[in-house]
Amino acid sequence: MKLLAASAALAALASQAPAATVDFATNGNTAGGTVAGGPLSYTLSASASGFLNNGASVTQGANGLGVNGNPDTNPGQIDGFPLFSQEALTVTFSWAVNLLSFNLGLLDRNDDYEISYNGGSFNSFGPGLVNPQSGQNNVTSFSIRASGMIFA
């Protein structure tokens, strides 16, 4: 699964600015960036758990963001490789936003995933694709991780 283009629609709380869209497939930055060229910024981070994983990094391709779990046969995806692993991608904003929605891609009937807001507990979704994902208000961060997968 990947975090896709046009995936996060954001309305800044502080200024009540109109919603802006971040395109994670074309922004060309795996560390973060700004929203609509304005003062709101975000950072991207990756993690991977499992007994074989040795660090993780954010990847970006034409289909959006992914996680390289090192080792990883699909570094452009957020998956469960190698065995009994769990990759996660976190987007952190410089201040609270109303996260209206986001899209996930490369989901199929075998993919389960979990979503967490503001570092809270993860909620399970899947298998399969449900887009757009509904967001929440007052979001400072959200994380997407693979779940329930033994093989990628």
Side-chain angles (χ1 to χ4, degrees):
M1 119 191 74
K2 289 182 171 248
L3 185 58
L4 278 180
S7 59
L10 310 167
L13 292 176
S15 65
Q16 294 303 314
T21 300
V22 177
D23 184 341
F24 291 114
T26 62
N27 73 359
N29 191 339
T30 58
T34 61
V35 177
L40 177 62
S41 63
Y42 63 92
T43 58
L44 303 169
S45 59
S47 63
S49 62
F51 63 92
L52 293 177
N53 289 104
N54 184 21
S57 59
V58 177
T59 61
Q60 182 180 38
N63 293 318
L65 298 173
V67 172
N68 181 354
N70 190 20
D72 201 335
T73 58
N74 292 311
Q77 296 184 23
I78 305 167
D79 58 24
F81 182 86
L83 263 122
F84 307 111
S85 295
Q86 208 170 34
E87 295 176 348
L89 175 71
T90 300
V91 180
T92 304
F93 301 103
S94 54
W95 64 74
V97 299
N98 291 333
L99 180 64
L100 303 177
S101 66
F102 57 92
N103 291 316
L104 299 175
L106 297 180
L107 287 169
D108 61 29
R109 61 184 169 79
N110 297 318
D111 288 339
D112 294 336
Y113 55 98
E114 300 173 340
I115 299 171
S116 168
Y117 296 99
N118 300 328
S121 60
F122 279 86
N123 294 309
S124 296
F125 298 90
L129 179 64
V130 177
N131 270 321
Q133 299 289 323
S134 295
Q136 289 188 355
N137 292 333
N138 288 321
V139 172
T140 56
S141 69
F142 71 101
S143 299
I144 303 157
R145 74 178 179 192
S147 69
M149 296 174 62
I150 296 177
F151 299 99

